[in-house]
Amino acid sequence: MKVFSNAVTYDYSWDEVSTANWRKYGPWNNKSEHVLAVDTLSRDVDPNTGILRTERLITCKQSAPDWIKALMGTSMDVSHVFEASYVDPSSKTVTMVSQNLTWSNLVNVQEEVIYKPMGDNQTQFVQSARITALCGGWQRIKNSIEDSLVTRFKENAVKGREGFERVLEMSRIVFAEEKARQRQLL
C-alpha cells in the first residue's frame, strides 16, 4: 500500500469553500474537463445532527497507463468513482470519501478529503489517498501500479488546486454581484 497526502489553505471562508465545493466539476473549472458526469444517487439530512449526506457517482475520462492496459488487454478510457460526502454545519466540516469502482479487481483507491475552517477567512483542505494494488505475489508489478497512481495523484492535486481556486474566485464574484443587486432592490 502507498499513501498520498496533500494539504492546502484557501484564503476563503468555510462558507465560501463548502458552497463552491458543489461547483468544482462545473464549467468554471477548466481543470476538470476529464469529468464527464456527476450523478447524485442520494441526498438526505440527518434530523438529529443536521449533517447533509450525499452519495454521487463520478464518471471520468481517465485511462490507465498504457502498460497496464496492455497487461489487462483492454483500452478502457472511462472510469467510475463512488463518493459519499458529509457536510456538518455545526462543526463546519465537509468530509468526502471516495472509492474507485473501475479497475477495483486490480487496485483499491480510497480517498478522503476534509475541509475545515482556520479562522474567519481561511479554510484548510486535507487530502489523503490509500492505494493498494491487488496483484497477489507480484511485488514488482504491485509497486509499479501503486507508484504510478501516487504520481497521478500528485499531478492531479496541482491541477485540482488551480481549478478550485478559479471556482472560488468566480463564486466570490457572483456572490458579490448578487449582494449588490439585493441592496439595489431595498
Side-chain angles (χ1 to χ4, degrees), residues 63-77 103:
S63 65
D66 289 339
W67 66 270
I68 292 177
K69 290 192 283 189
L71 183 69
M72 297 300 291
T74 183
S75 63
M76 188 163 53
D77 288 339
W103 301 99

Side-chain angles (χ1 to χ4, degrees), residues 59-127:
T59 305
C60 302
K61 183 176 170 56
Q62 191 168 350
S63 65
D66 289 339
W67 66 270
I68 292 177
K69 290 192 283 189
L71 183 69
M72 297 300 291
T74 183
S75 63
M76 188 163 53
D77 288 339
V78 175
S79 61
H80 301 282
V81 175
F82 173 79
E83 175 192 85
S85 64
Y86 306 86
V87 180
D88 186 340
S90 63
S91 69
K92 289 197 170 196
T93 58
V94 176
T95 304
M96 299 182 304
V97 291
S98 62
Q99 170 77 45
N100 66 302
L101 299 176
T102 306
W103 301 99
S104 59
N105 61 334
L106 179 64
V107 65
N108 182 295
V109 180
Q110 296 178 332
E111 181 181 17
E112 180 180 72
V113 169
I114 299 172
Y115 294 98
K116 60 184 177 181
M118 294 183 64
D120 290 338
N121 294 311
Q122 286 190 321
T123 303
Q124 185 179 41
F125 163 87
V126 177
Q127 174 187 28

Side-chain angles (χ1 to χ4, degrees), residues 107-168:
V107 65
N108 182 295
V109 180
Q110 296 178 332
E111 181 181 17
E112 180 180 72
V113 169
I114 299 172
Y115 294 98
K116 60 184 177 181
M118 294 183 64
D120 290 338
N121 294 311
Q122 286 190 321
T123 303
Q124 185 179 41
F125 163 87
V126 177
Q127 174 187 28
S128 64
R130 291 181 311 282
I131 301 162
T132 306
L134 307 171
C135 303
W138 297 0
Q139 193 62 41
R140 191 173 187 178
I141 292 173
K142 185 176 177 173
N143 287 340
S144 294
I145 291 170
E146 291 172 353
D147 290 340
S148 174
L149 289 172
V150 167
T151 299
R152 182 174 283 181
F153 261 91
K154 287 179 185 175
E155 293 166 354
N156 288 343
V158 172
K159 292 177 190 173
R161 179 180 182 172
E162 291 170 358
F164 194 53
E165 284 278 359
R166 186 167 192 286
V167 171
L168 287 164

